[in-house]
Amino acid sequence: MSFSLWPDIDSSWHAVLEPVYDQLHQLIEQLQARRDAGERIEPQPENVLRVFRMPFEQVKVLVVGQDPYPTPGHAVGLSFALDPSVRPLARSLTNIFQERRDDLGIKPALSGDLSAWEAQGVFLLNRVLTVTAHEAGSHRKIGWEPITEAVVRALATRDAPLVALLWGGQARTLASLFTAPNTLVVESAHPSPLSARRGFFGSKPFSRTNTFLNSHGLASIDWATETTSNTSAQPTLND
């Protein structure tokens, strides 16, 4: 068993992933074979496991989405985040910024780079970590779900306070794992334009997160990102 095959995985995750190591290894090999056969898979190989660069003990907020953006060049290995160069923004992220504005008064950002959140302990995990380009949901049930469930289960059973933001049906299937009294679970519809008005808008995840963190003696998350604008960026057609 050698986690050195994937240097992006911080050593603090090794014990968490050990029970699903064989599945992960087989899945990564399968993805490479599919790439070799000509399949365009998002995100790029170096970003598939990017989320695990954050040490396990630094996670304060868990955001669970569904699968990466299928538009080539958009996904970066963090749920809902975009490559900083992408314009216009994905519609799901535009809706996240709209809810952030309504919740906290922060102006919508021009960039989809969410690394400022990541740096503060916001763990941006998709339920499925890869997708075939232009085919949303195409890698569901190829093996990612048991792996990401193991990750969520480990976070849910820590002693440390945790906020879990479960956005969308796939993420909400994990809600029953969070039984610790020092955990806040905020479930809502996915921020996709197909569902955002069915419970994502108005859910106030950002202020509720900070209220909970403060009540447990932890610093708030600064939910601002580097670049903001007075008007929302226009969305893409594919996300």
Side-chain angles (χ1 to χ4, degrees):
M1 185 178 300
S2 175
F3 282 97
S4 63
L5 294 170
W6 310 301
D8 281 340
I9 298 179
D10 186 84
S11 61
S12 59
W13 290 102
H14 292 180
V16 173
L17 294 171
E18 183 176 356
V20 291
Y21 178 90
D22 289 342
Q23 292 163 276
L24 179 59
H25 183 71
Q26 292 168 12
L27 185 51
I28 295 297
E29 286 192 331
Q30 177 193 154
L31 292 169
Q32 186 56 53
R34 291 170 72 156
R35 290 183 194 273
D36 291 344
E39 181 177 345
R40 175 71 185 264
I41 294 175
E42 299 295 328
Q44 290 300 297
E46 64 272 17
N47 283 329
V48 169
L49 301 175
R50 175 182 169 181
V51 69
F52 297 110
R53 295 176 190 174
M54 182 189 298
F56 177 74
E57 63 275 6
Q58 290 185 13
V59 179
K60 294 167 61 176
V61 181
L62 167 66
V63 176
V64 184
Q66 46 189 40
D67 55 355
Y69 297 120
T71 304
H74 284 201
V76 294
L78 305 175
S79 62
F80 301 105
L82 291 164
D83 185 273
S85 65
V86 171
R87 300 290 187 279
L89 300 188
R91 290 181 291 178
S92 294
L93 188 55
T94 300
N95 287 339
I96 290 170
F97 287 159
Q98 179 177 329
E99 175 61 20
R100 184 184 64 174
R101 180 196 63 200
D102 295 343
D103 188 9
L104 298 178
I106 298 172
K107 296 176 182 178
L110 292 174
S111 170
D113 180 6
L114 301 183
S115 57
W117 295 359
E118 182 188 25
Q120 299 174 79
V122 180
F123 191 70
L124 297 160
L125 179 71
N126 273 317
R127 194 74 172 89
V128 172
L129 301 188
T130 55
V131 67
T132 301
H134 305 296
E135 297 181 26
S138 51
H139 285 192
R140 293 176 192 172
K141 302 190 184 304
I142 70 167
W144 283 119
E145 288 87 350
I147 295 167
T148 54
E149 180 174 335
V151 169
V152 172
R153 189 180 297 276
L155 289 169
T157 55
R158 291 186 319 175
D159 292 331
L162 177 73
V163 178
L165 304 180
L166 308 181
W167 290 345
Q170 292 181 60
R172 297 175 77 174
T173 63
L174 302 168
S176 63
L177 300 180
F178 298 94
T179 58
N182 60 347
T183 301
L184 171 67
V185 180
V186 180
E187 297 183 57
S188 75
H190 193 274
S192 160
L194 298 176
S195 57
R197 298 189 183 280
R198 298 201 298 268
F200 177 75
F201 289 140
S203 62
K204 299 186 181 298
F206 308 104
S207 61
R208 291 169 68 183
T209 292
N210 283 348
T211 297
F212 175 86
L213 293 176
N214 292 164
S215 73
H216 286 77
L218 299 175
S220 300
I221 302 296
D222 179 358
W223 291 107
T225 46
E226 288 90 341
T227 305
T228 58
S229 169
N230 289 322
T231 58
S232 298
Q234 293 299 308
T236 67
L237 297 177
N238 296 316
D239 297 316

